[in-house]
Amino acid sequence: MNTEQLRESVLSVALAVAATITGVLLSMLLVQATGHDAGAAARALWDGAFGSRRQIYLTAARMPALILVALGWIVAFRSRKVNLGLEGQVIIGGIFATLVAVEGPSLPSVPAIALSCIVAMIAAAVYAAIAAVLWAKRGVNEIVSTLMLTFIARQIVEWVVRGPMKAPGKASFQSKLIPGAFRWPELANGTPFSADAILSLVAVAAMVFLINRTVFGFKLRLTGENDECSRHAGVSTVRVVVLGFLLSGALAGLAGAGLVLGGERHMLTSGFTGNVGFTGIVVALVARNSPIGSVPAALLFAALATGGGVMQARADVPSEIVFITQGVIVVLVACSGLLVRALHARRVDANEDTPPRVQPGLASVADAT
Amino acid sequence: MSMAQTVGSDRSPTVPRLRLCGITKRFPGVVANRDVSLEVHGGEVLAILGENGAGKSTLMNVVSGMLQPESGSIEVDGKPVRIRNPADARKLGIGMVYQHFALVPTLTVAENLALGASGTRIFSNTRRIAEQVTGLSRAYHLEVDPHAVVGDLSVGTRQRVEIVKLLFRGAEILIFDEPTSVLTPVEWHHLVRILRNLAAEGHSIIFITHKLDELMQVADRCTVLRHGEVAGTVSVAATDKAQLARMTVGREILFQVSTKAARPGRVVVAAEGLTMRSDDGRPRLDGVSFELREGEILGVAGVDGNGQRELARVLTGLDAATGGRFRFGDEWRTSIQPIDFYRRGGAYIPEDRHHTSVALELSVRDNLLMKELALGRMQRGGVVSERAADEYCTTLMQEFDVRAPSPRVRIRQLSGGNQQKVVLARELSRTPQLLIAAQPTRGLDVGAAEFVMRRLVAEKERGCAILMISTELEEVLQLSDRVAVMVDGRFLAVLDRQDATYERLGLLLGGEAVDDLGGELTEVDA
Ligand SMILES: Nc1ncnc2c1ncn2[C@@H]1O[C@H](COP(=O)(O)OP(=O)(O)OP(=O)(O)O)[C@@H](O)[C@H]1O
Ligand SMILES: [Mg+2]
């Protein structure tokens, strides 16, 4: 990392922090304006997120899924592919993890969890592959197809918890409970904070290594930056992009598995994802697509989620307020991203030979003649 | 709006139009300009010469407001000014023509100008603008039709549109940063006339180039930069190419690279009736046949855009031929995978650096490594072998004199010529069997260009087969054992070295006006 890159990352961290503070302040203003006590709400928000050991564990327990989804977004985005269907892939992962756990063989804990996670990852990767293959073979825009697949996944989970996977004898729509061997071991007794947290940190490290040190990561970056150059260098760009997309789906699947094998309820319900498939994307955006940055960003969004619940209960402020907080943060970070890029572009594009991105270059010149 | 009346006639002729005093500009790890002072007068063409990375583009970016210097001052017409951004520069009458034109291809010339004009609404004023364009175009012999769609224009015409754009905005100081690499000889001579015309009307022109012949034709004075500092300023009338070259690179330059006659071996690559049609059905490549043997350089001479690019892209696997066949190795085929091209010992230097040969946002190191990694080298179990890779990069950067603060900086931050050196280093490092080199010396300073030409000759003498595509006749004539003349997607003729003369090639290329400066110039657009 050279000085310039260092300066850039320091700047982005500072901007993200500023955006968070502004986001919280603005939403508290809104709380006050709607006739609530902003001070009490803020305190409740903080207490809810970090006020006691239990609350801290609750917040931490939300992080692994967010991190894994963010990583999924990041790996696809390295080749400039937009996987908006992570939510759908999370759902598929959750369904298959549950299926293995409740219908599969009885196994000791470690192989049980491993099997369940691997099946979830494969299933989610296959689900993502539908979009990837449609893109590779037919040029179907992956943004649209993954989003559509998410709607389908939602219908599928509605159906399985009402029908084939419904726990017999229960009034509510839910699957059977996950057997003990398949549950992620708890890291703090009696809280949902479990060992998948470790797994998600390992995944972050693995992702950093994959992107920066491996040949596949290199090809992914090269293709994302300039796919014509990548092709000219002898890289099979379509293969690289499809593989990146599958990996993205697999990570979402792993997140989905964590939600049912870890967590508090140990079962599949139709809303089991709590939208992590979308919030995780926002986490990646706030982290500016940095795998390491997605850890603090996930912490932020996890805290807002747990804190928001407590705020509603204690200060009688609708927890939807935290959506506004999140929204403000995202918009501010997106804008500050533009700001960074603008500052950066002014310095760098100054090199005469560097075509600003919108300009027609020699290629189009040659095409026209 | 100053049309053709003499610019700045009310000003004192002894005060320079533009004056830079002690400009210093640093980037992390390099001082791009150190205490640079120079001046340009009205009515003068000043050339700026210097090695790759000497700081020429940086200095011009300071003048045009794209970069802020750490210290130094700028005066326009004797008055100190601050240029904080390009808008400031524009207000002061400073304009820059880039190598990559900033025009919207789907709009007409007039509409493009309307886009940039301040305080006007698009479309409402295009009629008036069109009239002004016609006026400017006539006054300076620019031959620009305001109603032409930019995308349909040749490169040379687009460049003249850029000039019109600057004049239209009232520019009196015009800066050209390596403007000529994509011009045909005819277009170049047209440009010389325009520049001399503009100077005669009182404009000041700053012209950056590495081509000494061009410099001698167009400039009045020349300032040489070395390592970011001014090495000297000379009057062009009182100097010659050899002296300029010596001032630039600090050593003698032989303008003639010695090359032995080819001793061709077996056929390395052959083509039979290669054809490629674009989507609209027009042939871009129209029945090209040739054989290229070990230890021989086949030069492809031609005006840009006559199928050279397509030929290279088909042979290297970036595009598939729609007709005919070729072979590299044993089997005949109509297409090849790029990776197979490299596996068989191919190397390729594409002509469009920013679209094909480098990834601007990646590091110099990544750009050097890409083909090695694609070929499965410098890695173990899918993980890049950092040590081997670092060593490889350091060696190549030394050998090819790539000037960068570190291999880890983005290649975007290198000067144009140094980016090109990275590409050359990458391709020549593999001791190829076949080298397809398009415009290999584009953007290189005289020293680096000489080095590369020597390397090409050395590769040939080692036994490499080289297909050298170039729009510069001198380059083709110097290095080639045979010369193919490419026009409209066809090889019009393939001449042996002794039959290929400058005049003959000029005639074949349909450029009667090649060395006829005073001749009537006709519109070169199709
Ligand atoms: N945006 C940038 N960031 C960092 N370094 C830069 C940047 N732009 C230029 N440099 C460095 O400044 C020096 C001068 O570069 P410049 O582009 O001015 O050279 P030049 O004289 O135009 O060379 P060339 O003939 O190759 O175009 C080089 O060492 C280059 O690497
Ligand atoms: Mg330059």
Side-chain angles (χ1 to χ4, degrees):
Chain A
M1 191 183 264
N2 61 34
T3 43
E4 190 197 351
Q5 283 162 324
L6 191 72
R7 194 172 346 137
E8 243 170 74
S9 16
V10 169
L11 191 63
S12 353
V13 170
L15 286 170
V17 170
T20 308
I21 294 171
T22 320
V24 171
L25 284 180
L26 275 181
S27 35
M28 285 308 135
L29 227 66
L30 196 70
V31 168
Q32 191 77 35
T34 51
H36 300 275
D37 178 357
R43 223 168 307 119
L45 187 64
W46 175 263
D47 286 350
F50 305 111
S52 65
R53 276 175 66 97
R54 185 174 162 75
Q55 293 309 118
I56 291 175
Y57 285 134
L58 284 176
T59 299
R62 285 182 191 267
M63 287 174 62
L66 289 175
I67 292 173
L68 290 171
V69 171
L71 293 179
W73 167 268
I74 290 167
V75 71
F77 198 69
R78 276 297 144 133
S79 63
R80 294 290 177 273
K81 281 287 133 195
V82 173
N83 184 359
L84 267 191
L86 288 156
E87 171 76 7
Q89 293 141 29
V90 170
I91 293 173
I92 298 296
I95 294 175
F96 276 82
T98 313
L99 207 59
V100 171
V102 299
E103 307 292 343
S106 62
L107 287 167
S109 174
V110 173
I113 293 173
L115 178 71
S116 177
C117 285
I118 287 169
V119 170
M121 286 169 79
I122 291 173
V126 168
Y127 201 63
I130 300 173
V133 169
L134 280 175
W135 168 78
K137 297 276 178 229
R138 288 271 173 273
V140 176
N141 182 315
E142 80 280 2
I143 304 178
V144 177
S145 59
T146 51
L147 212 52
M148 290 303 172
L149 286 165
T150 297
F151 294 133
I152 296 173
R154 285 210 165 131
Q155 297 307 314
I156 294 175
V157 72
E158 286 286 350
W159 169 64
V160 296
V161 297
R162 278 155 206 268
M165 288 176 73
K166 184 173 181 304
K170 284 270 161 54
S172 57
F173 299 126
Q174 62 184 62
S175 73
K176 285 188 249 177
L177 282 183
I178 306 284
F182 284 87
R183 297 184 186 180
W184 277 105
E186 288 171 359
L187 292 179
N189 268 346
T191 75
F193 182 53
S194 42
D196 57 341
I198 297 169
L199 180 76
S200 70
L201 294 182
V202 171
V204 169
M207 184 60 69
V208 172
F209 185 81
L210 179 90
I211 290 173
N212 296 312
R213 291 298 187 84
T214 66
V215 178
F216 175 70
F218 176 86
K219 291 178 177 173
L220 206 59
R221 281 188 290 135
L222 179 58
T223 308
E225 289 302 341
N226 182 345
D227 76 331
E228 172 79 354
C229 176
S230 187
R231 216 161 69 79
H232 128 277
V235 174
S236 353
T237 52
V238 172
R239 228 188 85 191
V240 167
V241 169
V242 168
L243 280 176
F245 213 87
L246 296 194
L247 185 54
S248 171
L251 285 161
L254 188 57
L259 289 174
V260 289
L261 307 182
E264 256 173 325
R265 308 179 57 194
H266 299 297
M267 61 182 168
L268 187 72
T269 59
S270 65
F272 79 104
T273 66
N275 272 331
V276 285
F278 289 111
T279 317
I281 294 176
V282 178
V283 166
L285 292 182
V286 171
R288 284 243 177 78
N289 294 312
S290 145
I292 294 178
S294 62
V295 177
L299 175 64
L300 171 66
F301 281 83
L304 285 173
T306 34
V310 171
M311 184 170 72
Q312 174 157 23
R314 234 210 269 159
D316 195 25
V317 175
S319 68
E320 280 73 21
I321 279 287
V322 305
F323 292 139
I324 296 177
T325 317
Q326 293 180 1
V328 172
I329 293 174
V330 171
V331 170
L332 287 178
V333 167
C335 293
S336 66
L338 290 181
L339 190 74
V340 172
R341 214 166 308 142
L343 291 173
H344 186 67
R346 272 202 51 181
R347 268 181 296 136
V348 177
D349 279 349
N351 204 335
E352 121 272 344
D353 262 315
T354 325
R357 295 183 178 89
V358 289
Q359 285 187 9
L362 285 177
S364 52
V365 168
D367 284 343
T369 41
Chain B
M1 179 74 23
S2 62
M3 283 285 188
Q5 82 270 26
T6 303
V7 176
S9 47
D10 51 329
R11 299 180 192 122
S12 154
T14 53
V15 176
R17 171 64 49 75
L18 173 72
R19 181 170 168 166
L20 310 181
C21 299
I23 300 284
T24 296
K25 174 70 202 173
R26 290 168 213 278
F27 291 111
V30 275
V31 186
N33 295 139
R34 192 196 300 273
D35 195 22
V36 172
S37 302
L38 59 81
E39 46 191 56
V40 201
H41 293 266
E44 177 183 57
V45 179
L46 174 76
I48 297 185
L49 197 60
E51 283 177 298
N52 295 127
K56 306 177 294 293
S57 301
T58 304
L59 189 66
M60 291 307 112
N61 283 324
V62 165
V63 174
S64 60
M66 303 277 273
L67 292 173
Q68 294 303 308
E70 267 79 49
S71 59
S73 60
I74 302 177
E75 288 172 18
V76 173
D77 292 320
K79 286 187 284 292
V81 294
R82 258 187 70 77
I83 306 177
R84 276 178 233 93
N85 49 47
D88 283 356
R90 196 186 300 173
K91 275 180 221 132
L92 290 164
I94 299 170
M96 187 142 160
V97 174
Y98 294 90
Q99 208 166 23
H100 299 269
F101 308 135
L103 297 170
V104 182
T106 48
L107 298 183
T108 67
V109 172
E111 285 162 359
N112 262 288
L113 266 61
L115 273 182
S118 53
T120 58
R121 270 170 294 125
I122 312 175
F123 304 123
S124 59
N125 278 320
T126 42
R127 270 262 303 285
R128 259 210 7 244
I129 289 171
E131 278 161 27
Q132 289 180 359
V133 169
T134 313
L136 284 168
S137 171
R138 202 171 295 137
Y140 295 105
H141 307 287
L142 288 164
E143 296 174 24
V144 168
D145 171 9
H147 303 294
V149 174
V150 166
D152 298 337
L153 300 176
S154 75
V155 177
T157 315
R158 283 192 210 196
Q159 185 164 61
R160 299 200 298 276
V161 174
E162 287 281 345
I163 298 174
V164 169
K165 188 163 99 184
L166 297 187
L167 295 173
F168 173 77
R169 291 175 182 172
E172 298 181 350
I173 301 167
L174 286 82
I175 302 171
F176 294 80
D177 194 349
E178 296 187 42
T180 54
S181 50
V182 284
L183 297 190
T184 67
V186 181
E187 287 171 327
W188 160 248
H189 288 299
H190 192 173
L191 181 64
V192 172
R193 275 218 325 201
I194 293 165
L195 295 184
R196 295 307 329 175
N197 248 324
L198 286 167
E201 302 288 350
H203 288 85
S204 305
I205 288 160
I206 303 179
F207 194 89
I208 298 178
T209 184
H210 290 298
K211 297 184 201 160
L212 301 179
D213 289 311
E214 296 185 351
L215 188 156
M216 305 290 291
Q217 282 177 41
V218 74
D220 299 305
R221 284 189 309 135
C222 173
T223 294
V224 180
L225 291 184
R226 262 175 77 191
H227 304 299
E229 294 177 74
V230 175
T233 298
V234 289
S235 154
V236 168
T239 188
D240 58 19
K241 276 168 65 181
Q243 191 201 353
L244 286 175
R246 215 176 313 120
M247 282 178 75
T248 312
V249 295
R251 64 178 169 90
E252 293 296 329
I253 290 291
L254 299 171
F255 291 97
Q256 203 61 44
V257 176
S258 69
T259 159
K260 291 193 206 110
R263 278 179 290 117
R266 71 186 171 90
V267 175
V268 174
V269 60
E272 280 179 5
L274 269 189
T275 301
M276 196 182 100
R277 285 173 193 286
S278 52
D279 296 337
D280 58 9
R282 270 195 316 176
R284 293 292 181 83
L285 210 54
D286 194 2
V288 171
S289 306
F290 68 92
E291 272 187 356
L292 176 57
R293 291 169 180 275
E294 274 176 347
E296 136 180 274
I297 299 182
L298 174 61
V300 178
V303 172
D304 214 28
N306 274 278
Q308 299 98 318
R309 182 167 174 268
E310 287 74 12
L311 177 61
R313 287 174 66 90
V314 167
L315 294 176
T316 57
L318 280 172
D319 289 324
T322 51
R325 54 182 197 162
F326 67 97
R327 77 184 163 91
F328 174 27
D330 295 333
E331 353 150 16
W332 289 93
R333 50 172 83 233
T334 54
S335 70
I336 187 170
Q337 289 297 315
I339 193 67
D340 289 328
F341 173 78
Y342 298 119
R343 283 210 188 104
R344 285 161 195 268
Y348 176 33
I349 301 166
E351 86 275 79
D352 48 354
R353 205 185 297 140
H354 293 130
H355 283 86
T356 315
S357 50
V358 303
L360 283 170
E361 300 306 326
L362 297 190
S363 65
V364 172
R365 183 176 186 270
D366 287 345
N367 275 287
L368 280 170
L369 281 174
M370 58 174 77
K371 290 186 186 174
E372 295 300 309
L373 291 177
L375 281 165
R377 303 192 194 135
M378 310 243 159
Q379 55 193 270
R380 185 183 274 170
V383 177
V384 181
S385 311
E386 298 289 322
R387 281 267 297 285
D390 282 338
E391 232 164 77
Y392 169 82
C393 292
T394 323
T395 317
L396 280 185
M397 286 174 70
Q398 252 162 29
E399 187 182 346
F400 284 83
D401 190 26
V402 176
R403 306 213 180 144
S406 121
R408 304 266 174 180
V409 298
R410 290 199 185 102
I411 198 169
R412 181 184 271 277
Q413 297 176 359
L414 264 56
S415 79
N418 281 298
Q419 294 178 3
Q420 181 70 3
K421 289 188 210 165
V422 169
V423 176
L424 289 159
R426 177 178 74 205
E427 301 307 317
L428 294 179
S429 71
R430 293 196 301 274
T431 52
Q433 304 287 303
L434 167 65
L435 170 64
I436 297 179
Q439 317 298 347
T441 62
R442 181 175 282 178
L444 297 183
D445 64 43
V446 278
E450 186 200 48
F451 170 77
V452 167
M453 303 231 269
R454 287 228 196 104
R455 275 300 294 260
L456 292 180
V457 169
E459 293 295 320
K460 160 191 136 175
E461 281 166 5
R462 179 180 59 75
C464 180
I466 301 180
L467 187 71
M468 193 187 69
I469 299 168
S470 177
T471 49
E472 281 169 51
L473 295 184
E474 292 86 352
E475 192 170 84
V476 174
L477 286 172
Q478 261 203 46
L479 296 183
S480 310
D481 300 302
R482 288 182 299 143
V483 179
V485 179
M486 196 160 191
V487 176
D488 283 341
R490 268 173 307 192
F491 278 3
L492 209 59
V494 181
L495 307 174
D496 278 332
R497 164 189 233 112
Q498 58 270 20
D499 303 330
T501 60
Y502 194 90
E503 291 68 32
R504 182 120 187 246
L505 291 185
L507 273 173
L508 281 168
L509 288 171
E512 282 82 6
V514 166
D515 17 25
D516 178 10
L517 236 179
E520 198 51 38
L521 281 162
T522 46
E523 184 64 7
V524 282
D525 298 323

